[in-house]
Amino acid sequence: MANPFRIAHGSRTEQPTLIVELSTVSMTTRISGYGEAPMTSYYGLDSAECTRVLTDLAPAFAQKKDLPESMESFLEEVAPDLHPFLRCALDVALEDLRARVQGVPLRHLWRGKTSMDSPDRYGEAKLRQTPTCYTIGLAPVEEMVRKLKAFPWPIYKIKLGAGDDDLAIIRALRKHTEAPFYVDANTGWTAEQTIALSHELKALGVVFIEQPLKTDDLTGQKEVFQHSALPIIADESCQTEVDVDRCARYFHGINIKVVKCGGLTPARRMIARAREQGLKVMAGCMTESSVGISGIAQLLPELDYADMDGAMLITNDPARGVTFDPVTGYAIYPDRPGIGVELIA
């Protein structure tokens, strides 16, 4: 990590991760797709064990004459209980590989594009441009101000929820930027706090509040949903597809983490269902490198909000891929097929 990263649950200075490669041979040329599973400690993930599990699946892939039509259906046959983070890495790698074999960016393959050579730069001008925020982790307020000033960005996510000085933090940061703020309490507030703070935060240029309450406080969440001055976005309360309909009764939007739901394939179904329920949609990250971020960034045209700063928070990125314009926050896609990533380590 470029700086110690603190949220309401704790702090870390590094983020182990696992990069997954799927390869095929097309016309004697080896083509590879990549995915990523961050080895997040509070999910009980261990790199050595996860590597062993994935390596044991290699023979099942080798027996396939063609690419699986769906990673989900393939895993149902060979590893139905595989951890969602590993399912995600394999799902993204397969989607990346499929697009690379066809020679097109993944987000355009989803939309029926068949060539890298469209006259309007692969149709980017026709796609929704959703900026990503940059996260300021919890710290003493002076440190948070220093981080904000050291990293000018058009939108910030501010981590709160660990103390009674949350409003003072936002007031202090607001003195140094006019950029909109997203606030993430990481389940650290009560319903009464959230409702009271929402009015002050709205006046200070906060756009929404992410997951203020514990996931089991549904009574409090209903109160917040009805009385908050700001939209409330579900994060910890929205892990997988089955959570979307329930969240529509308690939240104004959802934050989708592709590693938690099992990949881009289920994430896109969650987006579609959220739209049917009238929810705003955000996609976030778990401090992935450019491999994971480049995969998530394929969803940007389908989103209202984005938190894809993982690769900006680390010092030793093992790949090159999607980056973000520091003035607009918009994605800059590489001139490469698939998710556009290439390993450098």
Side-chain angles (χ1 to χ4, degrees):
M1 307 298 296
N3 297 286
F5 190 76
R6 301 182 186 95
I7 61 174
H9 303 309
S11 175
R12 65 182 187 272
T13 57
E14 61 181 23
Q15 175 60 63
T17 197
L18 188 64
I19 307 298
V20 175
E21 178 182 8
L22 286 179
S23 297
T24 189
V25 176
S26 177
M27 301 293 290
T28 73
T29 300
R30 179 179 172 177
I31 303 174
S32 293
Y34 300 96
E36 180 172 5
M39 297 287 99
T40 307
S41 59
Y42 52 83
Y43 280 90
L45 293 166
D46 173 77
S47 295
E49 175 61 17
C50 288
T51 299
R52 183 195 65 76
V53 168
L54 291 176
T55 302
D56 287 347
L57 289 178
F61 281 100
Q63 291 173 7
K64 286 279 186 180
K65 293 182 179 180
D66 301 304
L67 294 180
E69 285 296 316
S70 158
M71 184 56 68
E72 290 178 324
S73 60
F74 176 73
L75 291 176
E76 269 313 301
E77 296 177 15
V78 300
D81 298 323
L82 191 66
H83 193 283
F85 281 42
L86 301 184
R87 296 177 74 92
C88 172
L90 290 171
D91 179 80
V92 176
L94 178 61
E95 292 297 300
D96 183 27
L97 178 55
R98 193 191 317 280
R100 288 177 189 251
V101 167
Q102 298 188 46
V104 295
L106 176 56
R107 63 199 176 283
H108 293 294
L109 183 63
W110 287 341
R111 292 162 182 81
K113 296 283 184 178
T114 58
S115 172
M116 290 280 287
D117 302 318
S118 69
D120 58 349
R121 185 68 177 173
Y122 324 140
E124 299 294 355
K126 297 179 181 179
L127 299 180
R128 181 199 304 225
Q129 292 181 302
T130 303
T132 190
C133 61
Y134 179 80
T135 302
I136 305 295
L138 264 175
V141 64
E142 298 82 5
E143 183 180 334
M144 295 177 75
V145 169
R146 284 198 302 271
K147 290 179 180 177
L148 182 145
K149 293 171 70 175
F151 206 97
W153 202 256
I155 306 172
Y156 294 97
K157 177 190 272 194
I158 313 300
K159 293 286 189 176
L160 300 176
D164 297 325
D165 58 349
D166 286 337
L167 188 58
I169 289 172
I170 296 299
R171 285 173 173 159
L173 294 175
R174 178 52 71 210
K175 295 176 182 178
H176 301 279
T177 180
E178 296 180 356
F181 291 158
Y182 304 157
V183 160
D184 186 358
N186 280 119
T187 74
W189 291 348
T190 65
E192 184 180 10
Q193 273 181 300
T194 304
I195 294 167
L197 285 169
S198 69
H199 297 274
E200 299 260 19
L201 293 174
K202 183 177 182 179
L204 288 166
V206 171
V207 178
F208 62 73
I209 300 170
E210 186 177 339
Q211 195 70 43
L213 309 187
K214 298 276 192 291
T215 58
D216 60 355
D217 186 4
L218 296 182
T219 300
Q221 188 56 56
K222 191 69 172 180
E223 284 294 307
V224 170
F225 180 62
Q226 292 173 343
H227 301 293
S228 172
L230 287 170
I232 307 297
I233 306 297
D235 183 6
E236 286 86 349
S237 291
C238 192
Q239 307 276 325
T240 65
E241 294 175 72
V242 298
D243 298 320
V244 176
D245 284 7
R246 176 174 48 81
C247 283
R249 302 195 298 271
Y250 297 97
F251 296 90
H252 305 93
I254 60 171
N255 182 4
I256 298 169
K257 304 286 181 64
V258 297
V259 292
K260 292 182 182 181
C261 71
L264 293 172
T265 303
R268 296 187 72 211
R269 291 197 299 265
M270 290 176 73
I271 292 170
R273 183 58 182 164
R275 295 301 185 200
E276 291 173 358
Q277 295 282 6
L279 293 166
K280 293 289 187 180
V281 182
M282 179 178 185
C285 62
M286 299 286 287
T287 322
E288 290 96 329
S289 73
S290 283
V291 175
I293 297 300
S294 297
I296 306 168
Q298 305 304 306
L299 298 172
L300 276 166
E302 303 176 41
L303 305 175
D304 299 298
Y305 313 114
D307 176 13
M308 301 183 187
D309 61 353
M312 292 186 272
L313 302 175
I314 61 177
T315 61
N316 57 341
D317 197 336
R320 283 185 289 263
V322 173
T323 58
F324 295 90
D325 187 296
V327 176
T328 64
Y330 295 155
I332 302 170
Y333 292 100
D335 191 9
R336 292 186 288 269
I339 64 173
V341 77
E342 61 180 6
L343 299 186
I344 57 176

